[in-house]
Amino acid sequence: YVRGYHDHGMLTTAKHFPGRGDQEPMPGKAPWMWNPKPADALDAQEFTAFRHAVEAGVDFIMSEHIAVPALTGGSDLPASVEPRLATDVVRGRLGFQGILTTDDLWYDHVVARFGAEEVALRAFEAGHDILLKPRDPVATIAALTDAVRSGRIPEERVDAAVRKLLALKSRLG
């Protein structure tokens, strides 16, 4: 599919990382979802489709608000804000060099847990290049600007994300 879409000038996205197949409600953290499988089962099952997509040259991977404690030292943070999932697994283990995007950040349960702007900052820090649908885009841009000015987020990190997007756009003409 990825190669076929590319042959016809379209971009592709693999989603929703880490996979929705065997998710279930996280005990005591409703409405949060998690995948309780051990690391080897995740790698052999959920990550196979993402691995194939990366090998085929997928342009984007979209993360989901799903925790995977087996890969994060027991963390209950979802892939949308957990660097050990967004950076270590997607970039490191799967070798993805394209654009990593979040799922929608405006969901009530996401905003309630992290705060409308803080979830965007955490997602960017975790390794995402695009922050999809923040609750208040203007406030999110201001928070990101403040985070760069304060040194929380390196300006080079923003530049790298922008360069990825511009490179993709230039490839399309």
Side-chain angles (χ1 to χ4, degrees), residues 25-141:
M26 187 181 296
K29 294 272 187 180
W32 289 98
M33 302 303 283
W34 73 310
N35 188 320
K37 287 183 179 178
D40 59 339
L42 289 160
D43 193 59
Q45 297 166 10
E46 276 75 4
F47 297 168
T48 297
F50 292 101
R51 191 174 293 105
H52 289 304
V54 169
E55 290 168 1
V58 72
D59 303 293
F60 295 83
I61 290 181
M62 177 187 281
S63 70
E64 177 59 278
H65 308 295
I66 298 172
V68 185
L71 297 174
T72 59
S75 168
D76 69 351
L77 292 177
S80 51
V81 298
E82 174 56 73
R84 289 173 285 195
L85 293 171
T87 297
D88 296 353
V89 175
V90 174
R91 301 272 188 218
R93 185 182 295 184
L94 299 178
F96 181 63
Q97 299 303 311
I99 296 174
L100 182 58
T101 182
T102 65
D103 199 348
D104 298 346
L105 298 177
W106 57 261
Y107 292 131
D108 288 338
H109 69 289
V110 173
V111 171
R113 182 169 182 190
F114 298 106
E117 288 78 42
E118 183 63 22
V119 69
L121 296 176
R122 287 179 178 221
F124 197 79
E125 289 173 321
H128 292 81
D129 301 300
I130 293 179
L131 307 172
L132 190 62
K133 291 187 178 178
R135 168 101 13 121
D136 181 341
V138 173
T140 300
I141 291 168

